[in-house]
Amino acid sequence: MYTCIFKLKLVLILNMMFAFSCCSAPGRSFAGDPTKFRLRNDSAGLWVVESLKLTPQQIHLIVSPSTQNGQWIVQRLPGRDESDQAPVTVAGKWLEESGVVVFRPKYPFREGMNFQIVEKSDSASPTVQWSFLIPKPNDKPPQILEIRPVSNQWPENLLRVYVHFNRPMARGESAKRIQIQDATGRALIQPFLELDQELWDRDGKRLTLLFDPGRIKSGLKPREEDGAILENGHRYTILLTKGWPDSHGMATEKTYEQNINVGPADRNPVDPRLWKIKPPLAQAGAALEIQFSDSVDTGMAIRLISILESGECPLDGRAEISADGLVWKFIPNVKWSPGLHYIEVDPALEDPSGNQLGRPFERDIAADKESLMKSAKPVRLTFVVPSTS
Amino acid sequence: MFNLRSWPASASLAASALLLTAAVQAGELTDSLKPGKAALQSAGALAFGPEGVLFVGDSRGGSVWALATGDTTKASAMEAIDIANLGKKVADKLAIPTADLLINDLAVNPLSGTAYLSVSRGKGPDAQPVIFQISKGDVKELTLDNIAHAKADLPALPAAAGRNQALRNDAITDLAFLDGKLYVAGLSNEDFSSRFVTLDIPFKPAGKGASVEIYHGAHGRYETKSPIRTFVTYRIAGQPHLLAAYTCTPLVKVPVKDLTPGAHVKGTTVAELGNRNRPLDMVVYAKDGHDYILMANSARGVMKISTEGVADREAITKPVGVGGVAGQAFETVAGLKGVDHLDKLDETHAVILTRTESGQVDLKTIQLP
């Protein structure tokens, strides 16, 4: 503790020295003249430090130092919450670029952190030349947009929950920031499957949470010991506590809460025969609409439902699904052609409880040996685009 | 506590190295790797092949990389590696606080005894992947800017034409190399299933990936799909098998010959090691004429599991009762706490990565129990 305070004081003293002291390599140091340094965003969007107003001889000395004496070192200054307060050297190179000396860090400077440039000396303590802060890219805290299923009535055997954020978030937080409380405010024991690799989308904005399957299925040991997670007829609150950092370290300011009423288990396989199809008109921008009989997984539905023209050519286009997983729309990149079309549904399509096409998540192997084979092929539905004439 | 600084490499290590390389001709693997920048998008699961080639699972890139580390000098005696607060040392090299560092996996080069760490610099989708080489008292970065390498893309999952797949992402949970093949276990963020892909080494186009189905002993008659968390390769009666650990914690054997592209394979549950637990990492080793598995767990410490009778073990298909365990005998190793990752250093020692309650990450060498 005292060591930390001492080191912090040392850093402050070094910073003060930068303001008042002279330097060890006369004619080169800029102590007292911070205007000669500049922070710049380069063409690749990376922060670099520039040192201006140097003679060619000075540039040579910095870019190719022959001794430690007079060498410029860039250091990261630890934040207040770090246990070790000693400055840390930043790997990188001083380069000459168009007559200006530029420091390019090996890895990008972390946003929101303080750095300093010190000049080494054989005869005295290093002298701080300049201190700088890398600004954070956002000045507002990140937000949780929604939790899917958006419905506040969840089946008691719900398998998968998506949390949508408005910007890329940091990994490794979900176990400590997500909680489900029952109606008495008691937190449920480890409701979600803990994974070393949290399941994020590529943009880092959607987190997949899987309820522990051992506590969803009938007659299982985890369920007997710890109880079912969600029980029919009960009310719960899912909480995402504040302080969840985004990928740049800025944290959510508010705890997100959603109340849930739990209904009976959904053990019905996904059944496309029950879907209602609204064919589009044969005009540009018209949408094909499918109304599902029950919610389907909003992530998979975008990926696993294809539209084929009568010649069996898949149509490129934009698919979207309502947040409740009940309505799917597709607009092709080209104008619809009149005539017969196919909707091809991949057998992997699931509902939020993990039931697939023709195959429930929980399958009695003794009674249903063939269901895997039955569900292994895509299912096709047809619709006709009417002629506009 | 074990405190040796060096010891001789055992004869059995040399024997297992021979076995390892049997299916890949000497030089064939490194000859297949081309120099240049290995542009990993992420660095996760690690496994060593022959000739100092490190395999790296790149979940974000949907691929596996083979990297020629150049670390091919066979050590005459493995040296213990003990580095206190390794997390801070690695974070300092990357000029970030330890809070911004994720350590993803650990693997030891069986030739040199050097430990390798895959890490993420940052925790968001823009995190930079970095691999560190750790030997006695030395932590340095493996340069990826110019390294002999090859990449195998994992087969794409079904998707409609022209559809945006930004939300879909596979996590590679573990890798293992045996007899010229690399086995890759994965987990999807959308489909709740295990994916298993077998890659030929040197890389050839990947197959579809075998989908391995298992029965959980504790789960009675109900079949489920469940993700493999960690696995090792192991010979049972001369035949290569995978021993795979799943959440809450069945251990399952799967004959490698059954893992053909597109197949649905039913594994045999050979042990139930207790629930409310997550297997993290495991290795196989021999001691006193018997083979054991050392498994690190999230909630149940480090287990030493006997392989005695695993060849003939009947599948566990019935519930094992409240708090119950069944199948292969095991014991919990006293004194090993907070072990996140482990790998074998030689036939008698392992390197472990531990995390204290305050979050400090240490690297230690232990005697295999």
Side-chain angles (χ1 to χ4, degrees):
Chain A
M1 180 69 174
Y2 289 112
T3 312
C4 293
I5 293 169
F6 173 75
K7 283 177 179 164
L8 183 63
K9 281 181 178 170
L10 180 67
V11 171
L12 291 174
I13 291 165
L14 288 173
N15 273 299
M16 287 167 72
M17 284 167 72
F18 133 70
F20 299 111
S21 76
C22 218
C23 47
S24 56
R28 203 175 89 194
S29 187
F30 298 127
D33 190 3
T35 60
K36 289 180 179 174
F37 288 99
R38 190 174 72 169
L39 198 58
R40 178 169 67 82
N41 226 221
D42 75 358
S43 56
L46 298 171
W47 290 107
V48 296
V49 176
E50 286 182 343
S51 182
L52 312 168
K53 303 179 188 176
L54 293 173
T55 65
Q57 188 191 9
Q58 290 169 327
I59 290 173
H60 178 75
L61 281 171
I62 293 162
V63 172
S64 314
S66 52
T67 65
Q68 289 248 322
N69 193 32
Q71 202 178 346
W72 281 1
I73 306 291
V74 179
Q75 295 176 326
R76 183 179 75 82
L77 297 172
R80 281 184 205 158
D81 54 343
E82 293 180 59
S83 56
D84 188 347
Q85 289 288 307
V88 177
T89 299
V90 176
K93 281 183 181 162
W94 288 99
L95 302 166
E96 184 189 349
E97 294 178 7
S98 309
V100 175
V101 167
V102 177
F103 180 77
R104 291 193 174 273
K106 182 168 186 182
Y107 295 104
F109 288 120
R110 291 293 282 169
E111 291 94 349
M113 291 190 181
N114 288 292
F115 296 83
Q116 64 184 10
I117 299 166
V118 296
E119 184 175 302
K120 282 200 165 182
S121 164
D122 287 342
S123 55
S125 301
T127 320
V128 176
Q129 302 292 308
W130 193 51
S131 302
F132 57 97
L133 168 73
I134 301 292
K136 289 191 172 184
N138 292 294
D139 56 2
K140 288 185 182 152
Q143 285 183 340
I144 292 154
L145 299 176
E146 64 184 10
I147 295 177
R148 290 187 183 183
V150 290
S151 159
N152 62 1
Q153 170 97 10
W154 288 6
E156 70 169 1
N157 64 337
L158 185 72
L159 173 66
R160 193 183 296 104
V161 171
Y162 294 126
V163 183
H164 290 258
F165 296 85
N166 70 334
R167 75 167 79 120
M169 301 298 287
R171 286 172 174 267
E173 295 285 325
S174 65
K176 59 186 170 200
R177 304 232 173 260
I178 302 180
Q179 200 179 71
I180 297 184
Q181 293 178 354
D182 65 15
T184 66
R186 187 181 60 95
L188 305 189
I189 303 166
Q190 288 184 8
F192 297 109
L193 199 59
E194 279 188 55
L195 297 165
D196 303 332
Q197 301 86 355
E198 286 179 347
L199 298 172
W200 288 90
D201 71 335
R202 293 181 59 75
D203 295 336
K205 289 160 72 171
R206 188 191 75 177
L207 173 67
T208 305
L209 299 169
L210 297 167
F211 278 108
D212 184 344
R215 289 169 63 192
I216 294 176
K217 298 191 186 78
S218 319
L220 308 189
K221 186 174 66 173
R223 182 165 167 150
E224 284 166 19
E225 289 190 358
D226 295 334
I229 300 162
L230 305 176
E231 289 184 84
N232 184 13
H234 290 242
R235 187 180 166 84
Y236 302 85
T237 305
I238 183 165
L239 296 114
L240 281 70
T241 53
K242 64 184 176 184
W244 195 319
D246 68 13
S247 60
H248 298 286
M250 186 166 272
T252 53
E253 264 184 354
K254 291 179 189 161
T255 293
Y256 186 94
E257 285 187 34
Q258 184 169 321
N259 294 323
I260 308 152
N261 296 307
V262 170
D266 177 1
R267 302 195 199 282
N268 299 318
V270 175
D271 190 350
R273 291 171 304 182
L274 303 175
W275 297 354
K276 285 184 184 153
I277 301 165
K278 284 191 181 172
L281 295 173
Q283 58 191 36
L288 162 73
E289 186 176 306
I290 302 174
Q291 293 176 358
F292 303 117
S293 50
D294 282 307
S295 293
V296 297
D297 183 279
T298 55
M300 298 168 94
I302 297 293
R303 182 167 54 87
L304 295 176
I305 302 176
S306 307
I307 307 301
L308 313 178
E309 282 188 310
S310 53
E312 307 224 339
C313 295
L315 277 175
D316 281 1
R318 181 167 52 87
E320 56 189 61
I321 188 161
S322 59
D324 58 11
L326 284 169
V327 180
W328 187 92
K329 287 182 180 174
F330 177 79
I331 300 169
N333 294 340
V334 295
K335 187 181 161 187
W336 290 100
S337 55
L340 185 67
H341 287 69
Y342 298 101
I343 298 166
E344 187 166 280
V345 189
D346 189 282
L349 180 66
E350 292 180 1
D351 68 15
S353 296
N355 301 304
Q356 291 184 340
L357 229 59
R359 185 188 192 199
F361 180 63
E362 187 174 24
R363 187 168 67 102
D364 184 332
I365 51 169
D368 190 19
K369 284 181 182 163
E370 299 304 316
S371 68
L372 177 65
M373 296 310 295
K374 279 184 204 162
S375 65
K377 287 183 181 169
V379 168
R380 277 194 179 182
L381 306 170
T382 58
F383 65 95
V384 175
V385 177
S387 171
T388 48
S389 56
Chain B
M1 188 68 191
F2 163 75
N3 199 24
L4 268 180
R5 305 320 301 169
S6 67
W7 55 87
S10 70
S12 56
L13 174 70
S16 62
L18 272 178
L19 190 68
L20 198 70
T21 54
V24 183
Q25 296 298 315
E28 187 189 353
L29 177 51
T30 43
D31 288 352
S32 72
L33 309 179
K34 302 293 172 233
K37 182 172 180 167
L40 277 70
Q41 294 185 44
S42 63
L46 299 176
F48 264 96
E51 304 167 47
V53 171
L54 178 64
F55 298 107
V56 186
D58 178 356
S59 296
R60 188 168 170 75
S63 52
V64 178
W65 295 78
L67 306 175
T69 61
D71 178 18
T72 53
T73 307
K74 186 164 168 41
S76 55
M78 297 296 183
E79 283 198 300
I81 315 169
D82 292 277
I83 299 181
N85 212 352
L86 176 67
K88 164 81 172 132
K89 287 186 172 63
V90 168
D92 282 355
K93 295 261 181 196
L94 300 172
I96 52 170
T98 50
D100 279 349
L101 176 75
L102 284 176
I103 297 179
N104 300 318
D105 204 4
L106 160 79
V108 177
N109 184 348
L111 281 178
S112 63
T114 305
Y116 286 71
L117 278 191
S118 57
V119 310
S120 303
R121 183 185 184 269
K123 293 184 168 176
D126 56 351
Q128 292 103 26
V130 188
I131 294 167
F132 281 91
Q133 293 175 304
I134 298 149
S135 50
K136 188 184 167 190
D138 189 23
V139 177
K140 67 177 181 191
E141 203 183 314
L142 180 70
T143 304
L144 300 177
D145 286 343
N146 189 12
I147 187 168
H149 68 272
K151 181 176 83 152
D153 291 325
L154 297 180
L157 278 141
R163 219 55 67 72
N164 177 10
Q165 288 217 59
L167 295 176
R168 179 71 174 67
N169 201 21
D170 263 349
I172 295 171
T173 53
D174 209 354
L175 302 174
F177 176 83
L178 181 74
D179 294 351
K181 295 203 185 286
L182 186 72
Y183 300 96
V184 185
L187 172 65
S188 155
N189 69 342
E190 284 186 358
D191 330 60
F192 182 61
S193 60
S194 228
R195 275 186 91 207
F196 223 93
V197 177
T198 307
L199 300 172
D200 289 313
I201 304 298
F203 289 145
K204 290 171 192 152
K208 281 184 185 169
S211 161
V212 182
E213 289 188 71
I214 65 153
Y215 296 95
H216 284 187
H219 295 185
R221 68 198 291 205
Y222 289 100
E223 169 272 336
T224 180
K225 300 179 298 175
S226 185
I228 288 176
R229 308 299 294 273
T230 178
F231 69 99
V232 289
T233 52
Y234 182 63
R235 285 181 196 284
I236 300 174
Q239 295 300 311
H241 279 69
L242 305 178
L243 287 175
Y246 291 73
T247 300
C248 78
T249 315
L251 188 67
V252 173
K253 66 172 181 182
V254 183
V256 162
K257 66 176 172 52
D258 291 356
L259 297 169
T260 54
H264 289 269
V265 180
K266 199 180 298 167
T268 307
T269 303
V270 293
E272 282 290 348
L273 306 170
N275 71 341
R276 287 196 213 173
N277 184 36
R278 180 164 54 107
L280 300 172
D281 213 344
M282 55 182 178
V283 292
V284 180
Y285 67 100
K287 186 162 189 170
D288 303 328
H290 297 282
D291 288 346
Y292 298 95
I293 297 159
L294 196 65
M295 183 194 280
N297 293 285
S298 65
R300 289 177 175 260
V302 176
M303 293 172 180
K304 177 186 179 183
I305 305 161
S306 167
T307 64
E308 202 71 40
V310 71
D312 307 318
R313 172 81 50 200
E314 280 194 22
I316 300 167
T317 56
K318 293 197 162 50
V320 295
V322 173
V325 294
Q328 298 302 125
F330 71 95
E331 60 186 85
T332 303
V333 181
L336 288 181
K337 289 205 168 69
V339 178
D340 279 351
H341 297 282
L342 51 86
D343 200 5
K344 216 161 71 164
L345 180 62
D346 65 7
E347 291 304 288
T348 49
H349 297 86
V351 174
I352 60 172
L353 205 65
T354 61
R355 187 178 296 275
T356 63
E357 280 181 12
S358 66
Q360 177 175 317
V361 174
D362 301 320
L363 191 79
K364 296 171 191 163
T365 300
I366 59 159
Q367 208 139 18
L368 284 164

